[in-house]
Amino acid sequence: MSFLFGGPRPQPSSAEKIAAAEAEIEMVSNMFNQLVDTCTRKCIPSQYREADLNKGESVCLDRCVAKFFEVNVKVSEKMQGEAAQRGGAAGGGMFGS
Amino acid sequence: MEKKQMKDFMNTYSNLVQRCFNDCVTDFTSKSLLGKEEGCVMRCVDKFFKSSERIGERFQEQNAAAAQGAGPGMGR
């Protein structure tokens, strides 16, 4: 997740790189699992009359994914704004930049 | 990595059992699965895989678009 901390720094050892890559994979796969869970709950009715996705369900899933991403961006922007306001130069932390 | 995959698989599996059981099995007047309950469970599993496949496609598209907009990495 080096993109969070932009800017030059001493080149990371390969162990650090591997750890960072693992953390990123973990993050992406968690996000995907959440996405599947949330969007199927919201879009797929629990009667299961048919095994195939119908038109409405498919479109709902597509939109659900797009909106989930949008919400991600909004929340992260808001949190960054808040952190910048509160912490100023001192804070930094997870959302610094 | 294999360990994580195994863990993921088991997680998906148990979530799916839980979901399809809750959604499909509501009648406890008999001991074995009724025909309609079994059908429901089969459709539930089928539909779940199709949904997650479709979500995966959209997920990749969104990820690619985000990565293009914000340089390497993801989540934007």
Side-chain angles (χ1 to χ4, degrees):
Chain A
M1 295 216 294
S2 56
F3 68 96
L4 278 179
F5 305 99
R9 41 173 202 160
Q11 71 232 48
S13 68
S14 61
E16 279 178 88
K17 276 189 199 159
I18 290 172
E22 275 177 355
E24 183 154 348
I25 291 173
E26 182 81 17
M27 193 174 103
V28 174
S29 92
N30 276 343
M31 191 174 162
F32 179 71
N33 288 335
Q34 279 176 1
L35 193 62
V36 171
D37 201 55
T38 320
C39 292
T40 50
R41 268 180 214 294
K42 285 183 190 281
C43 292
I44 313 294
S46 54
Q47 280 75 261
Y48 303 108
R49 286 174 200 289
E50 51 200 11
D52 289 314
L53 292 172
N54 67 33
K55 199 109 202 162
E57 291 163 348
S58 311
V59 172
C60 177
L61 288 177
D62 293 353
R63 291 178 182 153
C64 180
V65 175
K67 284 204 171 178
F68 189 86
F69 269 80
E70 231 178 285
V71 171
N72 254 284
V73 172
K74 294 275 183 265
V75 171
S76 108
E77 279 170 7
K78 187 124 179 98
M79 282 177 76
Q80 281 184 25
E82 221 117 288
Q85 242 180 17
R86 190 150 17 88
M94 173 90 181
F95 296 96
S97 74
Chain B
M1 202 75 235
E2 287 94 59
K3 239 170 110 183
K4 182 181 161 24
Q5 265 177 342
M6 191 60 198
K7 213 178 89 197
D8 264 5
F9 175 78
M10 294 313 286
N11 261 337
T12 311
Y13 167 70
S14 65
N15 284 338
L16 195 54
V17 169
Q18 177 117 29
R19 170 189 308 229
C20 296
F21 181 84
N22 284 341
D23 286 348
C24 291
V25 182
T26 49
D27 177 4
F28 295 99
T29 55
S30 90
K31 196 173 155 196
S32 55
L33 273 183
L34 302 176
K36 63 172 182 179
E37 288 171 343
E38 189 173 338
C40 177
V41 169
M42 292 300 126
R43 289 190 293 275
C44 172
V45 174
D46 248 348
K47 209 164 193 172
F48 177 84
F49 283 123
K50 281 171 191 163
S51 306
S52 80
E53 196 181 321
R54 190 173 182 105
I55 291 171
E57 288 166 18
R58 296 295 95 74
F59 183 80
Q60 283 184 335
E61 289 167 13
Q62 292 281 341
N63 245 340
Q68 278 208 325
M74 61 76 54
R76 267 121 196 283

